[in-house]
Amino acid sequence: MLIVLLTSVLVSNAVSFLREKSILYSRSVIIGLMLTSFLAYQGLYVTALSDGIGIYGGLFNITTFTQSFNMFILVISVVILTLTAFYPRKVSLNEYSSPYSLLFKKFSYNKITISNQRGEHFRILEYPLVILFVLCGSVFLMSTGDLISIFLSIELQSYGLYILCSLYRDSESSTASGLTYFLLGGLSSCFILLGSALLYANSGTTNLENIYIISSISEIQGVFSENGENMMSLMYLYQPYYYHLSLIIFSVGFLFKVSAAPFHFWSPDVYDGIPTIVTTFVAIIAKISIFAFLLELVYYTEYSFGEFSWKSIFIFSSLFSLIIGSVLGLTQFRIKRLFAYSTISHVGFILLALSINSAESLQSYIFYVLQYSLSNLNAFIILITIGFSFYLYVYAKEEETDKENTLIDKNNSPVQLINQIKGYFYINPFLAISLAITLFSFVGIPPLIGFFAKQMVLSAALDAGYVFMSIVAILTSVIGAVYYLNLIKQIFFFQPDLVMNPAVLNKDSFVKWQGYISPSSFFSYKENQAKNIVNGELVEFSSKNITLSGSLSNIISIITLLLILFIYMPSEWFNIVSIITLSIFKA
């Protein structure tokens, strides 16, 4: 289904000349992804009857675990694509919202200005096409069963992300960030390729199942040798040290791509430089597929040689991520860089659960990935929506107008500074409360879903004897709460620097029923009254009638309710996580 969808969009892009058709492509891709997720759901019944299905000569393995994450990543992509599939603003008039008026009457107004039809993200035909390439790589990576398919899948996903970051050709910051991501991402791919080559050189096979078997046999032989028995191992070449060193080099490349410390240095600059809509996709989708793959890799290489284990790299990376993400986030004044360090801190929790590798830690790992993806998605969508709501506002003081000139690529990233959301509660209280709930979930305030995710990880760590790491995680969570609470303070405890545009307040704004007013006369109807009267009824509306699109408000409402009402439906979430975890043990 993905391949058919990818081919059809590719052909459509090749024959299309109108850039405005991008919104239609996004809607078509949304429908295709929904059908694809339905096929993945149907595949659950096939894989549930067996331990999994190997396809294409063992290059890919289809299991209940992979199908579940396929559905999740496709649904998240559908939500992200709604940002480019529907216009952000609309005119809402109660007296003309009856079913009869909606179906049989035409309501024309200045859609170019109000609905943001000329926004650059609505004029990029290739955007849904590149996202499909990234999704193909993500789906392949989660189902991969061979070193060759691992490298091809991660490169297919990464190349799409590089292109996506630099897709806004007129944006200097986007191009620079995309180039930075490409150069450093190529370095991480070198580590993955080197680790794969070392694994192949030592085992003579590229199939992951064969490597798992050889690794476990070499571990057993090593234990016998330590006890003084079987000193002349028949499998002398298959030494555990080789495997652990190879897997460490192999994992460094993936830790780089999920921006785990100390390989995190690229993410704050890239997140801040690319448009916010692209940041939403880069910050979420790329990490879900890699975390799903790492979970299977760690589970099937459980063995260790004495005190030495390749999984120790996850413990060290978790420690650095928790400290760096919490401490460096305190000095940030740009909001997307702050979210980047927040992501690094949460990656530390995820890697802590991954390194324990017990039944409880696997459940906490999957649950943390699911809930943090939803919370992060909600935070970025709210950030984008806040930028759209600034349409009718200007800075109150003249010196504040210089702030607009200091913003890099402000058309594609309207909200860049923390000071820009000062007093936003007095502009749109519903969005402000939704953002506060999401930030409290990041902090881990009960009864929000983020609290239970952190509690599960800490409980698994304490049960496994990771007392020091648990103390560090708790302390860094408290430190990280400082910059989240600073955002809350800016939103609720200050007056906004923005006021309504005087041009909107002083001039009459009209549209016509069954007519049209040119864009130049949107705020100056009296000057063009004679030439704009055609036939039909003139309808007056003000800035209060310009509201956010239902697609944005509905998505934010649903995700926010999921975060805050988790306490009333925990069993459904935990049952899903338990089933996915059991599917790994069964396989």
Side-chain angles (χ1 to χ4, degrees):
M1 190 68 200
L2 275 177
I3 297 298
V4 171
L5 184 61
L6 183 64
T7 306
S8 60
V9 175
L10 183 62
V11 174
S12 299
N13 280 343
V15 299
S16 178
F17 297 98
L18 297 177
R19 312 297 296 182
E20 290 79 4
K21 289 186 178 180
S22 174
I23 191 170
L24 300 179
Y25 290 139
S26 295
R27 294 176 181 179
S28 302
V29 171
I30 286 176
I31 296 174
L33 292 181
M34 293 174 66
L35 292 174
T36 308
S37 61
F38 177 74
L39 291 178
Y41 174 74
Q42 293 296 320
L44 285 175
Y45 297 99
V46 178
T47 56
L49 299 176
S50 61
D51 293 339
I53 300 173
I55 59 175
Y56 301 119
L59 288 178
F60 300 99
N61 296 319
I62 309 302
T63 64
T64 304
F65 173 79
T66 60
Q67 294 295 87
S68 301
F69 268 87
N70 285 345
M71 288 189 295
F72 181 69
I73 203 171
L74 291 172
V75 171
I76 294 292
S77 301
V78 167
V79 175
I80 296 175
L81 274 171
T82 57
L83 298 174
T84 56
F86 300 95
Y87 295 122
R89 294 181 292 263
K90 64 180 180 180
V91 173
S92 178
L93 295 169
N94 293 331
E95 59 271 28
Y96 297 101
S97 298
S98 64
Y100 176 78
S101 299
L102 293 175
L103 292 175
F104 300 105
K105 291 189 177 181
K106 181 182 179 182
F107 187 48
S108 299
Y109 57 92
N110 182 12
K111 293 184 179 180
I112 294 177
T113 304
I114 296 177
S115 63
N116 196 31
Q117 285 189 355
R118 293 293 175 85
E120 190 170 355
H121 52 287
F122 293 120
R123 298 175 59 81
I124 300 178
L125 289 175
E126 299 83 6
Y127 182 78
L129 178 64
V130 176
I131 283 183
L132 282 177
F133 275 109
V134 176
L135 286 178
C136 284
S138 301
V139 169
F140 293 157
L141 179 62
M142 290 186 290
S143 305
T144 187
D146 195 277
L147 293 176
I148 297 175
S149 57
I150 288 174
F151 184 74
L152 294 178
S153 301
I154 193 64
E155 288 305 289
L156 178 59
Q157 173 181 288
S158 299
Y159 284 154
L161 293 174
Y162 305 151
I163 296 172
L164 201 63
C165 290
S166 56
L167 201 58
Y168 290 68
R169 302 180 183 90
D170 298 331
S171 172
E172 181 180 350
S173 63
S174 175
T175 305
S177 299
L179 183 60
T180 302
Y181 192 17
F182 168 68
L183 294 176
L184 297 179
L187 177 63
S188 66
S189 298
C190 291
F191 282 99
I192 296 176
L193 194 59
L194 177 60
S196 302
L198 292 176
L199 286 173
Y200 172 70
N202 186 243
S203 63
T205 179
T206 60
N207 188 274
L208 288 181
E209 291 187 1
N210 295 339
I211 292 175
Y212 298 153
I213 293 173
I214 295 175
S215 176
S216 61
I217 293 176
S218 65
E219 301 286 354
I220 296 173
Q221 294 292 334
V223 171
F224 286 155
S225 299
E226 271 192 337
N227 295 334
E229 302 176 7
N230 193 16
M231 296 299 294
M232 299 299 294
S233 174
L234 297 177
M235 302 187 65
Y236 178 76
L237 293 176
Y238 301 118
Q239 294 298 319
Y241 283 114
Y242 298 156
Y243 281 101
H244 287 289
L245 179 61
S246 303
L247 288 172
I248 286 175
I249 298 174
F250 187 72
S251 300
V252 165
F254 287 103
L255 291 176
F256 187 101
K257 292 184 180 296
V258 297
S259 66
F263 315 103
H264 66 285
F265 42 84
W266 62 270
S267 59
D269 295 330
V270 172
Y271 282 22
D272 190 44
I274 60 180
T276 309
I277 289 180
V278 178
T279 309
T280 307
F281 194 84
V282 173
I284 299 173
I285 298 300
K287 292 179 174 56
I288 297 175
S289 58
I290 294 176
F291 282 137
F293 167 73
L294 287 178
L295 178 59
E296 292 187 283
L297 181 67
V298 170
Y299 175 72
Y300 291 118
T301 55
E302 167 65 18
Y303 303 97
S304 61
F305 183 69
E307 298 296 326
F308 178 76
S309 174
W310 75 279
K311 292 184 299 181
S312 301
I313 189 174
F314 294 123
I315 288 290
F316 289 115
S317 181
S318 173
L319 177 62
F320 288 129
S321 298
L322 289 170
I323 296 174
I324 292 175
S326 299
V327 175
L328 294 186
L330 297 174
T331 63
Q332 303 303 314
F333 61 93
R334 301 184 67 87
I335 192 165
K336 285 198 291 184
R337 291 181 67 91
L338 179 63
F339 280 173
Y341 284 107
S342 168
T343 299
I344 294 170
S345 177
H346 288 280
V347 166
F349 273 94
I350 295 174
L351 293 178
L352 176 59
L354 179 66
S355 58
I356 299 171
N357 199 18
S358 62
E360 183 181 0
S361 68
L362 291 183
Q363 292 188 25
S364 63
Y365 177 86
I366 296 173
F367 182 71
Y368 204 109
V369 170
L370 297 181
Q371 70 84 23
Y372 181 68
S373 299
L374 290 176
S375 301
N376 213 19
L377 176 65
N378 199 38
F380 276 107
I381 292 180
I382 292 175
L383 192 64
I384 293 169
T385 308
I386 290 175
F388 288 140
S389 68
F390 284 165
Y391 164 71
L392 296 173
Y393 295 87
V394 293
Y395 288 102
K397 301 177 182 178
E398 292 183 0
E399 56 268 20
E400 292 291 339
T401 58
D402 295 335
K403 184 182 296 184
E404 292 185 346
N405 299 326
T406 61
L407 299 181
I408 304 172
D409 195 21
K410 61 184 178 182
N411 292 328
N412 296 318
S413 299
V415 183
Q416 299 180 26
L417 305 176
I418 294 177
N419 289 336
Q420 288 181 266
I421 60 174
K422 180 188 295 184
Y424 190 76
F425 176 75
Y426 300 99
I427 297 176
N428 191 323
F430 296 103
L431 268 182
I433 293 173
S434 297
L435 180 57
I437 291 172
T438 306
L439 294 176
F440 281 136
S441 180
F442 284 157
V443 176
I445 302 296
L448 301 178
I449 191 172
F451 165 76
F452 296 97
K454 290 187 176 182
Q455 185 268 337
M456 290 176 65
V457 173
L458 293 174
S459 175
L462 289 173
D463 289 344
Y466 290 80
V467 179
F468 174 74
M469 287 298 301
S470 301
I471 295 174
V472 171
I474 294 172
L475 293 177
T476 53
S477 294
V478 175
I479 297 173
V482 174
Y483 55 73
Y484 291 125
L485 295 178
N486 180 47
L487 290 176
I488 301 294
K489 183 182 72 172
Q490 293 284 339
I491 295 172
F492 290 93
F493 295 98
F494 290 97
Q495 291 296 323
D497 293 333
L498 298 171
V499 295
M500 189 69 69
N501 192 336
V504 178
L505 295 175
N506 296 333
K507 295 185 179 181
D508 296 326
S509 304
F510 290 90
V511 293
K512 287 189 303 181
W513 199 253
Q514 295 181 344
Y516 177 73
I517 293 181
S518 63
S520 62
S521 61
F522 176 65
F523 289 127
S524 57
Y525 164 73
K526 290 182 178 179
E527 300 174 2
N528 301 276
Q529 185 175 10
K531 63 180 181 183
N532 282 322
I533 295 179
V534 185
N535 59 349
E537 180 184 359
L538 288 174
V539 179
E540 180 180 358
F541 68 90
S542 66
S543 59
K544 295 181 180 179
N545 300 116
I546 301 177
T547 61
L548 292 172
S549 172
S551 61
L552 292 173
S553 56
N554 291 336
I555 289 172
I556 293 173
S557 302
I558 292 172
I559 299 179
T560 304
L561 288 176
L562 285 176
L563 300 182
I564 198 172
L565 298 180
F566 168 78
I567 191 66
Y568 295 104
M569 50 178 183
S571 59
E572 289 78 5
W573 285 76
F574 291 137
N575 288 338
I576 293 173
V577 171
S578 300
I579 292 173
I580 297 176
T581 307
L582 289 174
S583 68
I584 299 176
F585 284 98
K586 180 181 178 181

